[in-house]
Amino acid sequence: MIFDIEKETAPREDLEPLQLSRLRNLVERVNANVPFYRRKFEETGIRPEQVKSLNDLKYLPFTEKQDLRNNYPFGLFAVPKENVVRIHASSGTTGKATVVGYTHRDVRNWAGLMARAFMAAGVNRGDVVHNAYGYGLFTGGLGVHYGAEELGATIVPISGGGTRRQVMLLRDFGPTVLCSTPSYSLFLFEAAQEAGIPFSELPIRVGIFGAEPWSEEMRQDIQSKLGLIALDIYGLSEIMGPGVAMECAAAQKGLHIFEDHFLPEIIDPITGEQLPPGETGELVLTTLTKEAQPLIRYRTRDITSLNYVPCRCGRTHVRMSRIKGRSDDMLIIRGVNVFPSQIEALLLETEGLTPHYQLILDRQGAMDTLEVRVEVDEKLFSDEVRHLQRLEGKIQGNIKEFLGVTAKVKLVEPRSLTRSEGKAKRIIDQRPKV
Amino acid sequence: MKVEQISIFLENRAGRLTDVTRVLSQAKVNIRALSLADTSDFGILRLIVTDHERAKQVLKENGFTVGRTSVVAVEVADRPGGLHSILELLSNNQINVEYMYAFVQQTGKDAVMIFRFDRTDQAIELLQNSKIRIIPGDELYNL
């Protein structure tokens, strides 16, 4: 089942000219409408008309997450504000969030791409989609939602949390498709078991899992426990949201990047040089059709490789391997992107100083856990228990409010946290490796 | 009229209290009174010692987080209602007790309570006006 046969199965000799004309159009558009890009092109000494082949992509400058932050909130919009119909943003403390705008056509394109993703997973009209991705500024919930409606499937917009209620609706509504983070699917499985509802007896046959890295072993585990086909979906809010790439049920071997909309490259994260097909490096994406906020050569920091070998599902679009890791220090905790620097900023805000801290990541059952250890120095110390407990609660509340992650905050003695080579080791990730 | 108390942040793990007593013992500082407030993660050890300057210094040298607080030592008549009459007086004047603990006096006939008030100076004034004896720091450290 292929949603857009013409585009998704286009031979490369048809696909590449389309990509090139869209790329040239994109470069002209951002040069004309986005001062940030005009400056970058001038600095790089490149003129839009010099882009003559897809091979010229490598001469264009990169866009980094910091560029989005520096232009917060609307500095990278390429259309007048009144043409923007939707705004999403990633988590982040004030001023650090990355904002993305969408025109009406962007939202329609996104829905269409998510519909493609559903069909690649074998989902169609008549299916009932239980959508446990969060709704709101996070792109997961609404991206999946519009895609399911575009396809004509039935959507249950339950969003995240409220696990007992989720289990009740899984039983009562009989969904055939589950959309969530992979770890949350296992959490749902356990909750269903506790409620005496065997997952294998539910009609769910497909799980579309994303927003956090997971391993082949975890896939096998989920498939055998939940009795469904577990498929990987990829997306990032800066580029669009879920539906940038999707694994097909036919092969279950790599995620098709929808190449008529996104132009992928793999680079060496240190040198920035393009790497040949098959080699592992950092994924860089150029949005070919985005109107409101197009990005040129966006460095995703996700480590993967590209496979151009034709897929047995019939799609000609390149496949990326599952994400192998990150080229920066970003942590993904229960599907939420967290930079240690964000936690540091919150600690700084809480008491006006930079305490020594450590992040301990672990997994309990299927769920990630985060413990934030904060050294108590004389400035933080009080001889009253309730003051220290209030401090713990305040830090915990700020982390929950600004990053959307529930953390356990533990006060520890000064110098009790490991220092290696004079520099504190901030992160201890005890989660099983992907 | 205040008494200097030192407080120490302790992680809730085996041996930490022993580390404190070892440091004080080596520094020849005698503990006059103590109280330990604890939660599941951490504790706060509060001490009245013979030489709080020295105690604070050696504990800090050994990596402990040490705080200093002014508390009030009050002589309490050793009879039914002795403590109650003092607490009632404080309560009637809207003075809040943050925490308190008892001081063991070997020679005296009365008990001594250590109080941490929310308004220390007002509390001292009130107690003095009510002819309740407050034991000054110097006397207490050397009892």
Side-chain angles (χ1 to χ4, degrees):
Chain A
M1 290 198 301
I2 297 176
F3 184 76
D4 190 339
I5 294 253
E6 194 199 321
K7 290 288 185 327
E8 293 183 74
T9 63
R12 292 212 75 81
E13 58 263 34
D14 292 344
L15 183 61
E16 285 172 7
L18 175 71
Q19 289 180 312
L20 178 60
S21 80
R22 286 181 169 177
L23 176 65
R24 295 180 62 165
N25 175 281
L26 164 73
V27 172
E28 268 170 34
R29 267 192 298 134
V30 298
N31 188 59
N33 302 322
V34 187
F36 165 79
Y37 278 117
R38 191 158 47 237
R39 267 199 317 276
K40 272 214 160 183
F41 292 160
E42 275 166 18
E43 281 164 21
T44 327
I46 196 155
R47 279 171 289 120
E49 59 272 22
Q50 287 176 308
V51 179
K52 293 206 162 64
S53 73
L54 286 177
N55 196 36
D56 293 333
L57 181 66
K58 61 173 181 279
Y59 303 119
L60 296 175
F62 290 117
T63 308
E64 312 223 14
K65 199 183 187 87
Q66 193 57 43
D67 294 323
L68 273 77
R69 291 189 179 130
N70 293 347
N71 288 282
Y72 176 91
F74 307 137
L76 292 183
F77 283 10
V79 297
K81 263 287 291 299
E82 61 265 30
N83 291 4
V84 172
V85 301
R86 177 108 61 86
I87 292 167
H88 279 284
S90 71
S91 68
T93 49
T94 319
K96 283 202 161 187
T98 53
V99 175
V100 180
Y102 303 77
T103 63
H104 188 262
R105 195 157 136 204
D106 289 337
V107 171
R108 298 299 347 138
N109 276 342
W110 184 7
L113 291 172
M114 264 311 299
R116 286 187 190 181
F118 274 121
M119 268 217 177
V123 176
N124 212 334
R125 297 173 72 91
D127 273 305
V128 177
V129 179
H130 182 98
N131 184 15
Y133 285 116
Y135 280 67
L137 282 176
F138 171 63
T139 52
L142 284 164
V144 164
H145 183 98
Y146 276 71
E149 287 189 350
E150 178 74 18
L151 182 68
T154 306
I155 184 98
V156 182
I158 187 151
S159 191
T163 302
R164 284 174 61 183
R165 187 145 162 267
Q166 302 245 1
V167 169
M168 187 184 81
L169 296 189
L170 285 178
R171 185 195 60 199
D172 298 346
F173 291 180
T176 50
V177 182
L178 171 64
C179 293
S180 72
T181 61
S183 56
Y184 192 65
S185 78
L186 286 168
F187 194 67
L188 276 176
F189 167 78
E190 284 160 16
Q193 268 198 322
E194 274 171 36
I197 301 165
F199 228 92
S200 53
E201 288 174 20
L202 297 174
I204 302 179
R205 52 165 223 286
V206 183
I208 297 176
F209 302 125
E212 66 186 18
W214 51 313
S215 60
E216 187 56 35
E217 290 70 32
M218 191 162 175
R219 186 218 296 273
Q220 298 304 334
D221 188 39
I222 292 173
Q223 292 196 147
S224 69
K225 279 183 176 153
L226 278 66
L228 46 72
I229 301 169
L231 298 168
D232 199 1
I233 188 166
Y234 177 77
L236 59 167
S237 65
E238 296 89 326
I239 292 298
M240 188 183 75
V244 171
M246 177 71 206
E247 192 172 43
C248 58
Q252 256 190 333
K253 220 169 169 56
L255 298 84
H256 291 280
I257 299 174
F258 298 124
E259 275 190 276
D260 48 335
H261 292 267
F262 311 107
L263 190 53
E265 306 163 73
I266 297 291
I267 62 160
D268 178 324
I270 315 263
T271 65
E273 295 290 314
Q274 270 186 357
L275 295 175
E279 285 201 25
T280 296
E282 181 183 330
L283 178 68
V284 170
L285 290 170
T286 298
T287 64
L288 292 176
T289 53
K290 281 279 288 289
E291 291 181 333
Q293 191 169 329
L295 296 179
I296 290 186
R297 303 192 82 198
Y298 183 71
R299 293 191 60 166
T300 66
R301 303 287 169 183
D302 287 320
I303 301 294
T304 182
S305 60
L306 296 180
N307 174 12
Y308 286 89
V309 174
C311 181
R312 67 168 191 242
C313 74
R315 286 175 185 80
T316 50
H317 293 190
V318 67
R319 281 175 286 171
M320 58 184 264
S321 72
R322 62 172 64 248
I323 300 298
K324 296 183 171 95
R326 297 276 306 168
S327 67
D328 59 14
D329 61 352
M330 189 182 85
L331 301 166
I332 302 179
I333 303 164
R334 295 192 190 179
V336 179
N337 298 347
V338 175
F339 285 93
S341 58
Q342 289 179 305
I343 297 199
E344 190 168 304
L346 288 175
L347 293 175
L348 194 74
E349 241 167 60
T350 309
E351 286 303 312
L353 46 87
T354 317
H356 285 285
Y357 65 94
Q358 203 168 52
L359 310 180
I360 318 281
L361 288 139
D362 211 335
R363 191 164 285 156
Q364 263 175 21
M367 295 299 270
D368 293 335
T369 59
L370 170 65
E371 181 174 294
V372 180
R373 294 187 183 161
V374 182
E375 285 188 358
V376 171
D377 65 9
E378 273 172 51
K379 292 183 207 106
L380 289 178
F381 183 50
S382 156
D383 64 329
E384 289 179 45
V385 169
R386 62 193 165 102
H387 286 160
L388 293 180
Q389 284 180 329
R390 197 182 301 150
L391 176 66
E392 283 185 338
K394 204 160 133 193
I395 296 169
Q396 190 168 6
N398 281 348
I399 292 173
K400 177 77 194 167
E401 185 181 345
F402 290 107
L403 303 181
V405 175
T406 304
K408 176 181 163 51
V409 174
K410 185 175 177 177
L411 300 179
V412 298
E413 288 176 26
R415 285 164 293 273
S416 66
L417 301 181
T418 344
R419 313 275 204 273
S420 56
E421 290 156 16
K423 210 173 167 222
K425 186 168 163 45
R426 297 280 189 218
I427 299 147
I428 297 180
D429 199 338
Q430 298 169 336
R431 295 179 294 187
K433 285 280 165 283
V434 171
Chain B
M1 295 310 274
K2 293 172 198 167
V3 174
E4 293 302 312
Q5 167 199 268
I6 58 169
S7 43
I8 302 140
F9 180 83
L10 288 178
E11 259 176 65
N12 207 346
R13 57 188 157 92
R16 280 319 268 163
L17 201 49
T18 324
D19 294 336
V20 174
T21 52
R22 181 184 306 114
V23 168
L24 293 178
S25 145
Q26 281 163 358
K28 309 224 180 311
V29 173
N30 194 12
I31 300 171
R32 309 291 301 158
L34 71 80
S35 134
L36 181 62
D38 66 345
T39 71
S40 56
D41 284 347
F42 63 84
I44 300 170
L45 177 66
R46 304 172 188 129
L47 299 174
I48 309 254
V49 294
T50 47
D51 185 347
H52 57 84
E53 295 287 356
R54 173 127 184 85
K56 195 173 173 190
Q57 182 203 334
V58 291
L59 285 167
K60 278 174 84 166
E61 281 167 9
N62 281 276
F64 286 97
T65 301
V66 189
R68 204 158 99 177
T69 322
S70 294
V71 293
V72 182
V74 178
E75 205 165 77
V76 181
D78 191 10
R79 56 171 166 75
L83 177 60
H84 177 71
S85 61
I86 292 173
L87 289 177
E88 197 169 46
L89 173 69
L90 293 163
S91 143
N92 288 341
N93 287 275
Q94 276 81 50
I95 288 170
N96 191 27
V97 176
E98 304 278 359
Y99 56 79
M100 56 188 256
Y101 53 99
F103 185 103
V104 181
Q105 206 180 171
Q106 294 138 314
T107 49
K109 54 186 185 309
D110 294 324
V112 177
M113 292 299 301
I114 308 289
F115 284 100
R116 168 88 167 97
F117 298 113
D118 58 345
R119 292 181 292 147
T120 306
D121 292 330
Q122 287 92 328
I124 290 173
E125 200 187 328
L126 175 70
L127 292 167
Q128 282 178 329
N129 291 343
S130 309
K131 308 280 179 249
I132 292 165
R133 190 167 112 80
I134 295 173
I135 303 172
D138 289 340
E139 188 184 330
L140 199 64
Y141 311 140
N142 301 308
L143 267 177

